[in-house]
Amino acid sequence: MRSTPVLSTIWLALALAACQNPDVSTREAPKPKPKPTTPAPVVIEAPPEPTPEELLRAKIDRFVAVELTADVSALAEPERKALDKLIEAARLMDPIFDRQAWAGNPALRATLEKDTSPLGQLKLDYFTIMRGPWDRQDHFAPFATDKPHPAGAGFYPEDLAADAFKQWVADHPKDKAAFEGLLTVIGRAGASLEARRYSTEYSEWLEPAARALEEAAGLTKNKSLKKFLTSRAKAFRSDDYYQSDKDWMDVDSVVEVTIGPYETYEDELLGLKASYEAFVTVSDPKASEALAKYKKYLPEMEQHLPIPDEVKTKRGAASPIRVVDLVFTAGDARKSVQTIAFNLPNDEKVRAEKGAKKVLLRNLIEAKFNTIMRPIGEQVLGPDQAVSLSSEAFFLQVLFHELSHSLGPAFTTKDGKKVDVRVALEASYSPLEEAKADVMGVFNVLFMIEKGELPAAIKEKVLLSYFAGLFRSIRFGTAEAHGRGAAVQLNRFIQAGAAVPESSTGKFRVDLAKLEAEISTLVRDICLIQHAGDKAAADKLLDEHGKVSAILEFALSKLGEVPVDIRPLYPLAGEVLPK
C-alpha cells in the first residue's frame, strides 16, 4: 500500500527533525571512536656483511692491471739480447727482496700456494701485490698471518728493539760501522748479535745476477753500459758500490738498468738498511735532452731555497736527467705502489762528487695520470678548479720532486761527528724526505716560472695538479713514506687555510696565494729540521700532521671507485693481460 501524501509529509518532517535535533529520542546512539592502532614497525634488513673473500677481492681490485712496454724495434740484435740478460738479472732481485721484507715470506708463500680454496688463492694474489702478508695500504694490517708486522722487516731479529740495537753499538764500538751500514743484516749468534754482509747473506741470488750482468756486458756495444755492468757485478760480490754508482751516473745508452740495494723504506726500525730493486728501461734521448736545461739550475735552486745561507749545500751539479720507458721491474721497485721516478744513487759521497741521476718512467707516469690522477683531481676539486688538472704539470712535479732530492741539507752533526741526515733522523727520515721533495719540487717549478723557463700560464695548473696529486700519494697509506709525507703537506695546507674543505662533498677550494705561501714555509721548516738532525722535531711534525685527519678521511671516502694504483705487466718480459 502506498502512503498518502499527508502521511508522507508528516513522516518526512519527523525524519528531518530527528536529524537536526540531537535530543530527539529517535536518534541512533553514537558509535564509540576506534582506538588508534600503533602501526607495525617497518623492519629494514641490513645488508649482509661482506665475506672475507669479498673484502679481499675488493682490495685486490683497487690495483688495476696495466701493460707497460717500450718500442725496441730500433735496437740492434746485440742490444736486444743484452736487454734479455738484464731482465734475467733483475728477476733475481725478487727472492732477495722477499726475504728483506720479512724472513718468513718464502715459507708463507709456499703454504699459500698449496691452499686451493677461493680465499687461499685471493690471499696469495694480495700477498704478491703487497710482497708479504700485511696490507701496506692499511698500516700493515695482517691479512694472511696473525703476526704483527716487524718494524725491522727482515733486516733484524724480530724481537730486537731499536734501543737494544743502539745499546749494543754503544757497548761494542768496533761493531758500529758494520751494524749501521746499509749493506748488512743483523742476526743472532747465541746470546750475541752479528752483522752479516749482503754479499754473503744473499749470494745464492747475487752470484747468478752478477754473471747475467757480465753476460750482458759482453753483448752490448755501448762502452758506458759495459763499464757499469762489469763494475756492478763486482759490487754484488764485494758490497763496495762506490765505483759502480759513479759508473752508473755516466751511462749513456738507450738500454739502461738500475739494479742494486738503494732505498731504506722497508727498515722502519732504524731506517738504515737498503733493499734490492731493479728497473730495466729503454731511454728516449731526445726527450731527455729537452729536460737537460733544468739541471744547470740546481745550484741556483739551492741558493733560492727559503732557508739561511749556512743551511744551504753544495753538491755535484752533473745530475743527468733521463726520460725512459719501463721494460721490467723487480724487488723493492715492484711492491704495492709503483715508483714513477727515482733519484739515485743515495750515497752522499757520490752525490757530492757527481750529483744524482733523475730517471722519469714515462709510460708509467702516463698510465697513472689517466687511470688515477685525473679521476682523483676531479673528485677533490670543484669543477672550476678541476679543469686546470694537467698531465704536463703532473710530469713537471714528478721531475722536480726528483731534482729536489738533490737539494737541501745532506749532512748534520751527531755526537760531534758529521753524519748523513738519514742516520740522524733514523726511521723518520724517509717520510720527511719525501715530503721535502714534494713541496720543494713545486717550489722549484714556481721558481722556473719566475725565471721564464716555464710559461706563467701554467702556474695555476701546477699548483692545483700538485695539490690533487697529494691525495694520490696519501692513498698509499701513512705506513708508507710517500703517503705519510703527503699527509703532512695536506694537513699543513688545511691548517693554513690554503685548502678549505666543503662539508658535504669531500671537495676542497684551494686559495692559490695562501697555498704558495705555505709551500715556502713548509720547505723552510723541513730543511731546518734536517739541517739540525733533530729527530724529536721530525717526530713531532710527523705525529701532528702525518696522519689521516677526519677531514681527509671524508675526502678519501669519496674516492672508492678510483684505483689506488696500477699492477704492471711487462710484455717484453713475457707478462701480458689474460685474454
Side-chain angles (χ1 to χ4, degrees):
M1 177 190 302
R2 297 180 178 186
S3 298
T4 65
V6 175
L7 290 176
S8 296
T9 301
I10 295 171
W11 181 254
L12 179 59
L14 290 172
L16 289 171
C19 291
Q20 295 170 359
N21 188 350
D23 293 330
V24 175
S25 60
T26 55
R27 180 177 64 87
E28 290 185 12
K31 295 181 180 179
K33 294 181 179 179
K35 294 181 179 179
T37 57
T38 303
V42 178
V43 178
I44 301 175
E45 292 187 9
E49 289 290 325
T51 65
E53 290 89 344
E54 290 170 337
L55 288 172
L56 204 47
R57 169 52 62 192
K59 288 176 177 285
I60 292 168
D61 288 345
R62 295 185 304 172
F63 294 84
V64 177
V66 176
E67 287 185 0
L68 297 176
T69 192
D71 183 2
V72 296
S73 60
L75 289 181
E77 186 63 21
E79 304 306 311
R80 186 67 177 83
K81 289 181 178 179
L83 187 67
D84 291 338
K85 280 295 174 182
L86 295 180
I87 292 172
E88 180 183 325
R91 289 189 196 279
L92 290 162
M93 300 302 102
D94 275 330
I96 299 175
F97 177 70
D98 285 340
R99 288 158 176 79
Q100 291 182 317
W102 181 47
N105 271 338
L108 181 54
R109 171 176 279 282
T111 299
L112 292 173
E113 287 174 345
K114 294 175 183 176
D115 186 348
T116 58
S117 70
L119 181 58
Q121 291 302 294
L122 288 170
K123 286 181 178 179
L124 177 61
D125 200 15
Y126 205 47
F127 179 99
T128 301
I129 296 172
M130 292 293 123
R131 302 306 291 266
W134 297 281
D135 191 341
R136 293 174 182 270
Q137 315 319 125
D138 187 17
H139 306 282
F140 282 108
F143 64 88
T145 182
D146 57 2
K147 303 180 73 169
H149 177 259
F155 301 111
Y156 311 87
E158 290 184 37
D159 61 346
L160 182 67
D163 288 345
F165 175 93
K166 293 175 185 177
Q167 188 61 54
W168 178 275
V169 171
D171 294 342
H172 304 82
K174 291 183 179 179
D175 289 345
K176 181 177 176 65
F179 271 54
E180 292 184 351
L182 280 169
L183 309 176
T184 58
V185 175
I186 307 303
R188 294 196 183 277
S192 300
L193 293 174
E194 64 180 9
R196 303 166 185 161
R197 294 172 53 188
Y198 277 9
S199 57
T200 301
E201 187 79 356
Y202 306 124
S203 61
E204 180 180 347
W205 305 280
L206 289 175
E207 179 55 38
R211 290 197 299 269
L213 293 182
E214 289 168 337
E215 290 173 21
L219 290 165
T220 182
K221 302 300 182 184
N222 184 283
K223 292 182 180 179
S224 64
L225 180 60
K226 184 188 296 286
K227 184 179 181 182
F228 165 65
L229 296 178
T230 302
S231 62
R232 183 49 52 106
K234 290 179 181 177
F236 278 175
R237 298 178 175 118
S238 69
D239 293 316
D240 182 357
Y241 286 83
Y242 176 67
Q243 183 59 49
S244 62
D245 275 346
K246 293 201 297 180
D247 292 341
W248 180 76
M249 286 291 297
D250 294 332
V251 171
D252 184 12
S253 169
V254 173
V255 173
E256 291 202 30
V257 64
T258 305
I259 185 168
Y262 290 107
E263 307 292 1
T264 60
Y265 301 132
E266 287 298 295
D267 179 3
E268 295 192 328
L269 186 70
L270 292 158
L272 294 174
K273 305 303 178 182
S275 301
Y276 283 87
E277 64 184 340
F279 300 87
V280 183
T281 62
V282 173
S283 69
D284 183 336
K286 289 184 179 179
S288 301
E289 184 59 32
L291 300 180
K293 63 181 180 181
Y294 296 117
K295 67 183 181 183
K296 71 179 181 182
Y297 281 109
L298 281 171
E300 198 170 341
M301 288 180 199
E302 181 77 38
Q303 295 310 307
H304 179 253
L305 293 177
I307 55 179
D309 287 343
E310 62 269 21
V311 180
K312 294 170 183 174
T313 305
K314 289 185 178 180
R315 301 184 185 178
S319 295
I321 298 171
R322 295 285 187 269
V323 177
V324 305
D325 289 320
L326 275 174
V327 170
F328 186 71
T329 55
D332 195 22
R334 200 168 180 178
K335 65 181 183 187
S336 61
V337 176
Q338 307 302 302
T339 298
I340 55 179
F342 54 88
N343 176 66
L344 295 172
N346 289 326
D347 187 335
E348 288 296 345
K349 292 184 298 181
V350 178
R351 285 180 181 242
E353 204 174 322
K354 305 213 33 122
K357 187 187 294 185
K358 292 83 174 101
V359 181
L360 286 83
L361 309 175
R362 180 176 56 189
N363 52 352
L364 183 53
I365 291 172
E366 291 173 353
K368 288 206 183 194
F369 182 81
N370 294 326
T371 306
I372 301 166
M373 171 67 182
R374 186 183 291 281
I376 286 177
E378 290 171 346
Q379 176 55 52
V380 300
L381 296 172
D384 61 324
Q385 292 192 321
V387 295
S388 292
L389 294 168
S390 160
S391 59
E392 179 188 5
F394 181 52
F395 187 89
L396 285 169
Q397 175 62 25
V398 173
L399 169 61
F400 280 85
H401 172 106
E402 299 308 330
L403 288 170
S404 296
H405 274 307
S406 296
L407 301 171
F411 297 98
T412 187
T413 301
K414 183 179 181 181
D415 300 327
K417 296 181 180 179
K418 182 180 179 181
V419 299
D420 286 2
V421 171
R422 172 185 60 81
V423 174
L425 297 185
E426 299 178 2
S428 295
Y429 170 76
S430 290
L432 197 65
E433 175 64 17
E434 292 306 327
K436 182 209 82 173
D438 271 348
V439 71
M440 190 184 287
V442 72
F443 182 84
N444 284 322
V445 175
L446 297 176
F447 182 44
M448 290 299 98
I449 294 172
E450 182 183 321
K451 296 287 291 183
E453 287 289 355
L454 291 168
I458 202 174
K459 184 174 182 178
E460 183 172 341
K461 294 179 180 180
V462 166
L463 287 168
L464 291 172
S465 296
Y466 157 69
F467 177 78
L470 293 174
F471 284 89
R472 183 185 69 85
S473 297
I474 199 174
R475 294 178 81 215
F476 303 161
T478 54
E480 194 270 346
H482 298 80
R484 198 171 187 193
V488 168
Q489 295 165 80
L490 285 168
N491 284 315
R492 281 284 296 258
F493 298 152
I494 293 169
Q495 183 183 68
V500 180
E502 296 179 1
S503 60
S504 61
T505 65
K507 297 182 186 294
F508 290 81
R509 182 76 193 172
V510 178
D511 184 317
L512 298 178
K514 287 183 179 179
L515 178 60
E516 189 171 352
E518 186 62 17
I519 284 169
S520 179
T521 301
L522 187 53
V523 169
R524 179 203 65 199
D525 292 350
I526 293 176
C527 285
L528 292 179
I529 290 171
Q530 290 184 325
H531 175 70
D534 191 341
K535 186 175 185 303
D539 291 346
K540 184 173 185 288
L541 179 65
L542 292 169
D543 289 343
E544 288 182 357
H545 299 292
K547 56 191 176 185
V548 179
S549 63
I551 291 172
L552 293 177
E553 182 69 40
F554 181 68
L556 291 170
S557 72
K558 303 294 184 178
L559 304 178
E561 298 301 315
V562 182
V564 168
D565 207 61
I566 72 166
R567 191 174 182 179
L569 297 171
Y570 299 103
L572 290 174
E575 302 174 356
V576 294
L577 287 167
K579 294 181 179 179

